[in-house]
Amino acid sequence: MKNNLIFLLGFFLIPNLTGFSQSSSFDASNARDGEKVEYCHQHKKTNALKQNPSYLQALQQDEVIRQHEANNTATPKGVVYKIPVVFHVLHNNGIENIADEQILDALFILNRDYRLQNTDANNVHAEFQGMPSDVEIEFVLATKAPNGTCFSGITRTASSMSYIGDNGGNQVDAIVAGNNVYNGNWPGNKYMNIFICGEIGGAAGYTTKPSSWSATSMENGIWILHDYVGSIGTGSTGASRALTHEVGHWLNLDHTWGGNNNPGNTTSCSTDDAVTDTPNCIGVTSCNQNSNTCNSDDAFWGFAIRDNVENYMDYSYCSKMFSAGQVTRMRNAITSNVGGRSNLWTSANLLATGANGVIYLCKAEFFANKTSVCVGDQVQFSDDSYNVSTGWTWSFPSGSPASSTSQNPVVTYSIPGIYEVTLTATDGSTSDSEVKTQYIHVFPSATSLPFYEGFENYSSLSNLANWEIVNANNNNAFALDNTVGHTGSKSVKLSNFGQTGPNVDELIASPVDLSGVTSGTGVTLSFRYAYRKKQSTDFEYLKVLVTDDCGDSWVIRKTIGGNTLSNIAVTSSWSPANASDWTTVHMVNITSAYWIENFRYKFKFEGETGNNIFLDDINIYAGAASNEIVLGVSEQNEIGNVELFPNPTEGELNLRFSATTAAQANIQITDVYGKVNNTHTIQAAAGSNLIMLDSSTLSSGIYFLSLQVGEGKSVMQFVIK
């Protein structure tokens, strides 16, 4: 029997054992040909684990139990063991947040390989024809969390720990504390936990062989990189069997050359994997079917047998089989008392984890391909109810159609506003409803040039039709600051100081009409920002992205980072104190491809525990860059000093604004769904104007007041108590 702990491309942190970190150096001899991650680190970590007396004692006791079970029991063939599986996606809102479809593809491949349903097993080398064996173990998505909550078998956790893989235990802690289903321990003797990450210490995947030392711990699971999961999405066919390999270790298999991680080491001929029908070998890192590296077993076979490079437990790119001896070893492991594996497939545990094959609707759920659209855009809605649904009733206020019974309807939105969506799903006997409030954001029609935003007319950015705020890490987001501004007294602030990074935040604008821009004038996008570092080593980014399809795709047009963003560090929470703290940026690279009616842009800040950043004086205009705010005649001469009070209000609402010349003023009040409640037209006088509006007919909620004087327009939010 070889070492009891296997690490494939990483290491495992056993409970109560700390201090291990993954080396950042890359050992190409320990990787498959052409890959930039190592396949195993077991040889680097097991010796360190053996320095722990508790681990050594458990290892010795496990070995005694295993030998006793191997000598006195025989796991019968014909019995198919089902194992509840949970995929925990630990992501930082990047490509590692893989789709459900990719995970389901990985589960399909895992079951295909373990049930010998892979057709390539029929094409093994002639010396191994007839040897590929059915493991008779199946993997079933769990549908109940430890607290009984119904879920899809997949959890998702947004955390920067996805890319901090030196300590697998810390990654598990992040999942326990932050996943979207159940915040607590998912015991390893009840679930086979698979942790999908962006980085796991230079590894593609790793796990432990069965051990009583970690049997009930959630860390009794499998770590794997997102691009080694399945064959679609970020995965690939060549990497898709890494999970098959890892589960083999989890079920007590060594590599074909023995219990170490040194493929190609000629001393491996003196070691063995404790399986008689896998020929002795030194291991390969490519598909070399002519490999015959050891003759120490020729007497057993009666001829010079080739290496079984097509075995899942080798490093080749052509793995396609388990041998009968490996199957016996895995089935003995799944029925052993060591490591908690024997509890997983019991009827009681399958019932408790919802992996007993009883499929029913327990939760209505859906998603949209986009939640922010321009007027007239279509949105594709998709049913994501679990675990089964056969009927659907949708409600789309202000959408077309306004309702649907299709599973995945397409809806057009033509009225600006913020709308909720409701789905009621059924499996024929059970129904459930999911309501997403303020889910679809339909931006107002495009604003004409010149456009200026100084944020002076807002009381809050929340729920406004003009801006969308994206806070991927669910912490501090872009918000209105009422105390500082370059022009006036307000700006937009991201309270970055004190946050744990990395963080990504976005401030996304509503459309601006650039269709009138010509090659003779061009167009300039200007803005001002104020920022300081927290430490001199901070390297944070402010990026400006633009889109010519109303946000379906974005292109970076400006990146300011590191010392260019600011070379001054302030160790306390910082705010700009004077005009010299602000930097003006002029972008003249908004090319003709973006001179369209629904041009949009956004600010994206990528932080790493630095200091605060402020934005003000966003200005888009035809012509060359200007250090002065460029306004249209209507803005300069007709409207200013706009104020709405009291806010919130219980009855009368007052609107105050100033105009330098007499002009017609149009006032419109809409709710968050875009429904027009009141309209008023008055003749504004030159100078200050005060309009008292009766709001007593409005029910409690959030509303928007739009004031338009000539071409100038201001939109303000107010609340009815």
Side-chain angles (χ1 to χ4, degrees):
M1 183 63 63
K2 303 297 184 256
N3 290 331
N4 193 44
L5 186 63
I6 291 292
F7 290 90
L8 181 62
L9 311 181
F11 76 93
F12 179 76
L13 185 65
I14 296 292
N16 302 319
L17 182 62
T18 59
F20 285 136
S21 63
Q22 175 63 50
S23 171
S24 59
S25 62
F26 172 64
D27 180 4
S29 67
N30 196 34
R32 299 199 302 182
D33 289 0
E35 296 191 356
K36 297 301 181 183
V37 290
E38 297 179 37
Y39 232 53
C40 283
H41 286 171
Q42 183 265 345
H43 63 293
K44 298 178 180 179
K45 302 303 179 182
T46 299
N47 288 337
L49 286 172
K50 287 181 178 180
Q51 302 307 307
N52 185 309
S54 297
Y55 172 75
L56 269 180
Q57 183 179 5
L59 182 65
Q60 293 165 357
Q61 292 174 345
D62 290 345
E63 191 63 24
V64 171
I65 295 172
R66 235 191 287 269
Q67 290 294 342
H68 174 78
E69 291 171 339
N71 294 329
N72 293 278
T73 61
T75 303
K77 292 287 289 181
V79 177
V80 177
Y81 296 101
K82 297 182 184 294
I83 299 177
V85 179
V86 180
F87 289 90
H88 301 277
V89 182
L90 181 63
H91 66 91
N92 199 32
N93 297 286
I95 59 172
E96 73 284 350
N97 188 17
I98 60 177
D100 289 359
E101 289 77 11
Q102 184 174 342
I103 294 172
L104 295 177
D105 180 62
L107 185 67
F108 167 80
I109 292 171
L110 189 62
N111 278 305
R112 178 199 66 192
D113 290 349
Y114 274 77
R115 291 309 315 273
L116 194 59
Q117 294 173 346
N118 51 305
T119 57
D120 57 357
N122 298 322
N123 302 320
V124 295
H125 191 276
E127 291 186 10
F128 301 101
Q129 283 289 326
M131 286 186 61
S133 299
D134 182 356
V135 186
E136 293 186 311
I137 292 177
E138 295 180 357
F139 305 89
V140 183
L141 284 176
T143 63
K144 291 182 182 178
N147 65 345
T149 298
C150 176
F151 77 119
S152 64
I154 301 169
T155 78
R156 295 185 184 273
T157 306
S159 171
S160 59
M161 288 303 302
S162 178
Y163 281 91
I164 307 176
D166 286 354
N167 188 320
N170 287 345
Q171 291 184 315
V172 171
D173 288 345
I175 293 170
V176 168
N179 77 81
N180 62 337
V181 176
Y182 167 72
N183 299 139
N185 182 51
W186 300 67
N189 64 338
K190 296 183 178 180
Y191 304 92
M192 186 175 81
N193 294 296
I194 300 174
F195 312 113
I196 301 172
C197 306
E199 196 277 329
I200 51 176
Y206 62 86
T207 187
T208 59
K209 294 170 68 176
S211 169
S212 59
W213 199 35
S214 60
T216 61
S217 169
M218 188 172 174
E219 295 178 30
N220 177 12
I222 297 169
W223 281 254
I224 194 161
L225 290 182
H226 68 91
D227 50 354
Y228 283 76
V229 176
S231 61
I232 62 175
T234 66
S236 64
T237 300
S240 64
R241 276 163 157 162
L243 193 56
T244 303
H245 181 112
E246 291 301 330
V247 174
H249 286 313
W250 189 81
L251 290 171
N252 202 36
L253 292 186
D254 286 321
H255 294 124
T256 52
W257 62 88
N260 63 69
N261 301 106
N262 298 89
N265 189 331
T266 56
T267 61
S268 294
C269 284
S270 61
T271 65
D272 184 49
D273 62 352
V275 178
T276 57
D277 62 357
T278 55
N280 287 4
C281 64
I282 66 173
V284 298
T285 56
S286 64
C287 188
N288 179 11
Q289 293 198 22
N290 293 319
S291 178
N292 185 5
T293 54
C294 299
N295 57 17
S296 55
D297 58 352
D298 290 352
F300 173 83
W301 291 89
F303 57 92
I305 191 168
R306 298 169 185 265
D307 299 341
N308 187 202
V309 301
E310 295 167 301
N311 196 288
Y312 291 125
M313 303 314 294
D314 210 322
Y315 277 18
S316 77
Y317 286 96
C318 53
S319 58
K320 61 187 68 168
M321 66 169 284
F322 288 117
S323 72
Q326 288 174 314
V327 168
T328 297
R329 190 172 173 86
M330 287 189 283
R331 290 177 67 79
N332 284 340
I334 203 65
T335 56
S336 171
N337 292 325
V338 175
R341 305 290 191 262
S342 60
N343 182 68
L344 287 157
W345 47 266
T346 63
S347 297
N349 191 60
L350 293 176
L351 177 63
T353 58
N356 57 347
V358 178
I359 302 176
Y360 61 96
L361 174 72
C362 61
K363 183 70 173 70
E365 187 55 270
F366 65 88
F367 61 90
N369 66 329
K370 50 188 174 182
T371 57
S372 300
V373 298
C374 292
V375 170
D377 279 356
Q378 291 184 329
V379 178
Q380 171 72 67
F381 291 92
S382 297
D383 168 49
D384 196 29
S385 301
Y386 47 88
N387 293 293
V388 65
S389 57
T390 58
W392 310 269
T393 301
W394 298 83
S395 175
F396 307 106
S398 294
S400 178
S403 62
S404 176
T405 57
S406 298
Q407 182 177 11
N408 303 308
V410 177
V411 180
T412 302
Y413 286 91
S414 301
I415 304 173
I418 302 174
Y419 305 109
E420 74 176 25
V421 177
T422 302
L423 168 63
T424 299
T426 180
D427 62 5
S429 59
T430 302
S431 297
D432 186 60
S433 295
E434 171 68 12
V435 181
K436 296 186 187 295
T437 60
Q438 301 183 24
Y439 186 59
I440 300 298
H441 191 151
V442 185
F443 286 106
S445 298
T447 303
S448 58
L449 294 183
F451 167 81
Y452 171 68
E453 178 63 271
F455 304 104
E456 296 301 310
N457 297 326
Y458 299 150
S459 59
S460 169
L461 289 183
S462 301
N463 301 321
L464 283 179
N466 304 60
W467 294 94
E468 179 186 7
I469 298 169
V470 176
N471 179 221
N473 300 91
N474 197 30
N475 46 18
N476 295 339
F478 279 110
L480 188 70
D481 189 290
N482 294 298
T483 62
V484 296
H486 179 274
T487 303
S489 61
K490 297 181 180 180
S491 62
V492 167
K493 173 185 179 182
L494 177 63
S495 297
N496 185 46
F497 183 88
Q499 297 193 116
T500 56
N503 295 291
V504 177
D505 290 271
E506 296 181 343
L507 179 68
I508 309 176
S510 55
V512 177
D513 186 358
L514 300 188
S515 60
V517 176
T518 67
S519 57
T521 63
V523 65
T524 300
L525 191 163
S526 299
F527 64 93
R528 308 188 206 272
Y529 76 86
Y531 165 79
R532 292 291 184 268
K533 295 181 175 185
K534 181 181 177 182
Q535 300 178 17
S536 60
T537 55
D538 291 339
F539 205 107
E540 301 183 305
Y541 290 97
L542 176 64
K543 299 178 180 180
V544 183
L545 296 86
V546 299
T547 177
D548 60 0
D549 52 20
C550 197
D552 288 347
S553 59
W554 294 89
V555 175
I556 296 175
R557 275 292 183 265
K558 187 71 176 180
T559 298
I560 314 171
N563 287 335
T564 304
L565 194 62
S566 175
N567 61 1
I568 303 173
V570 178
T571 57
S572 58
S573 183
W574 178 82
S575 295
N578 50 61
S580 63
D581 290 331
W582 293 83
T583 300
T584 302
V585 178
H586 301 296
M587 295 174 54
V588 294
N589 59 344
I590 310 301
T591 55
S592 58
Y594 299 95
W595 299 349
I596 58 173
E597 183 178 354
N598 283 330
F599 166 75
R600 291 181 65 198
Y601 59 100
K602 68 178 177 181
F603 298 92
K604 182 177 182 180
F605 184 75
E606 299 176 3
E608 57 164 27
T609 71
N611 219 314
N612 306 322
I613 188 167
F614 299 77
L615 296 172
D616 201 4
D617 293 345
I618 301 168
N619 200 191
I620 307 176
Y621 47 90
S626 170
N627 286 322
E628 302 297 325
I629 302 300
V630 178
L631 297 173
V633 174
S634 60
E635 285 96 332
Q636 292 175 334
N637 297 332
E638 295 181 6
I639 186 173
N641 303 316
V642 183
E643 186 181 4
L644 191 62
F645 62 95
N647 188 10
T649 182
E650 294 179 340
E652 188 174 88
L653 187 66
N654 300 292
L655 172 65
R656 178 182 286 133
F657 65 93
S658 61
T660 55
T661 60
Q664 179 175 289
N666 298 307
I667 302 167
Q668 185 179 82
I669 295 176
T670 60
D671 61 19
V672 293
Y673 304 113
K675 178 183 177 182
V676 177
N677 295 92
N678 291 307
T679 58
H680 305 277
T681 301
I682 65 165
Q683 187 65 31
S688 180
N689 293 265
L690 177 64
I691 304 170
M692 291 174 284
L693 303 169
D694 182 12
S695 60
S696 61
T697 60
L698 300 177
S699 57
S700 298
I702 299 173
Y703 294 86
F704 301 103
L705 184 146
S706 171
L707 169 66
Q708 185 161 2
V709 182
E711 295 298 320
K713 187 176 182 179
S714 178
V715 178
M716 291 155 287
Q717 174 189 307
F718 67 94
V719 177
I720 300 293
K721 290 185 177 179

